[in-house]
Amino acid sequence: DLVTEADLAEVEAEIRQINAVAPIIRTQQAKVPIEDIVGIRGFSLDRVLEADAEFLRDDQDHQHDSSVSSVGIECGGECE
């Protein structure tokens, strides 16, 4: 909404470093058709294993990035 094209390009480049195949949806005021973000079956274990064959190993060390978070929304009935 309030960023320059250069700022958008910088943020999108950072997203591509994290996930090269994630769809990027440019919006205004965060308005996105719900079908573009819900039920898209975006995770593919096969694709992850192609990129990192050791992904499912139990004995590997890993770290969680505290700057990454998620939000869940629960709605009673239908969401509009």
Side-chain angles (χ1 to χ4, degrees):
D1 300 17
L2 302 174
V3 298
T4 66
E5 189 66 30
D7 289 337
L8 283 172
E10 184 179 334
V11 169
E12 289 177 0
E14 289 184 33
I15 292 169
R16 290 286 166 239
Q17 288 179 357
I18 296 168
N19 185 336
V21 298
I24 295 175
I25 304 169
R26 289 190 175 188
T27 70
Q28 291 202 349
Q29 298 180 346
K31 294 181 181 173
V32 179
I34 194 75
E35 61 272 8
D36 288 356
I37 57 174
V38 173
I40 61 171
R41 304 184 61 83
F43 178 78
S44 166
L45 182 57
D46 291 336
R47 189 170 53 225
V48 171
L49 292 172
E50 283 177 23
D52 180 5
E54 305 295 313
F55 180 76
L56 295 176
R57 277 195 23 225
D58 286 337
D59 61 342
Q60 57 186 322
D61 291 329
H62 69 278
Q63 296 177 343
H64 293 267
D65 183 343
S66 63
S67 69
V68 177
S69 63
S70 62
V71 175
I73 300 172
E74 184 176 329
C75 300
E78 294 184 22
C79 296
E80 295 183 27

